[in-house]
Amino acid sequence: MDRTEKREFVAKLHAVLADTSMVVVTRNAGLTVADSTELRRRMRAAGATFKVAKNRLAVRALGGTRFTGIAPLLKGPTALAWSRDPVAVAKTCVDFARTNDRFVILGGALGERALDAEGVKALAELPSLETLRAQLLGLIQTPATRIAAVLQAPGAQVARVLAAFAKKEGGEAEAA
């Protein structure tokens, strides 16, 4: 890379990091091309991005963002993973690390808060943002459904009583 390419890379990475909520720092020494391709595929499916970057350029890109606390983790063969959904990127990294011992989670940052590897793993145990939204929607809809059922019940009971009364009257008229 020449200087202009490095400046462009730092500017693009800085812009992306300024617009994200979670960054995970990983050590990827010894990953095969197939492993890296599989990891990138999983990241894309989760709405996350995985990027190998020179540490010096990554540290420059972190400057001025809320993720400056992860700069000490950028030593050796590292890569960054990020996403707007903090649980998705953490979950994807942790799941991949379980199946591949060459992929090690060093830590990360959730906003301005730096996390160690255990913090990233704890975050991965939480339900995803979509799951939380679905659960919240279910909680909101449940009372409304119950209220509608309660409000409909008296009308349905009156209708059943009238139908039974009409049936009874109709049966007495036929008998006479």
Side-chain angles (χ1 to χ4, degrees):
M1 276 188 176
D2 64 357
R3 286 185 180 189
T4 56
E5 290 174 330
K6 288 179 183 178
R7 276 192 218 115
E8 288 175 10
F9 177 80
V10 168
K12 284 181 185 177
L13 187 58
H14 179 81
V16 166
L17 293 176
D19 192 39
T20 192
S21 64
M22 173 76 177
V23 176
V24 178
V25 181
T26 64
R27 172 151 295 125
N28 57 341
L31 279 183
T32 64
V33 173
D35 291 338
S36 294
T37 303
E38 174 64 17
L39 177 59
R40 284 188 172 93
R41 186 191 63 74
R42 288 186 189 183
M43 289 286 181
R44 271 193 306 275
T49 305
F50 179 77
K51 187 102 174 144
V52 176
K54 289 189 175 239
N55 292 335
R56 187 178 298 166
L57 297 179
V59 169
R60 285 185 184 168
L62 289 172
T65 67
R66 56 184 173 223
F67 302 113
T68 55
I70 62 172
L73 298 174
L74 297 171
K75 292 185 171 100
T78 59
L80 300 174
W82 63 84
S83 173
R84 287 186 179 168
D85 182 359
V87 176
V89 69
K91 196 172 288 231
T92 305
C93 287
V94 169
D95 288 346
F96 190 79
R98 284 185 188 136
T99 60
N100 194 322
D101 59 342
R102 294 182 185 142
F103 183 76
V104 179
I105 298 170
L106 299 176
L110 178 59
E112 293 181 3
R113 184 172 181 176
L115 303 171
D116 61 356
E118 292 303 315
V120 173
K121 289 176 184 173
L123 189 62
E125 298 298 321
L126 296 174
S128 70
L129 187 58
E130 289 181 16
T131 304
L132 288 174
R133 284 180 180 156
Q135 289 174 348
L136 182 62
L137 186 61
L139 288 173
I140 291 170
Q141 286 181 337
T142 299
T145 305
R146 288 184 181 160
I147 289 171
V150 167
L151 291 176
Q152 287 179 347
Q157 287 175 347
V158 168
R160 282 194 294 272
V161 168
L162 290 176
F165 185 71
K167 193 175 191 182
K168 183 178 178 185
E169 288 296 315
E172 289 178 3
E174 287 177 11

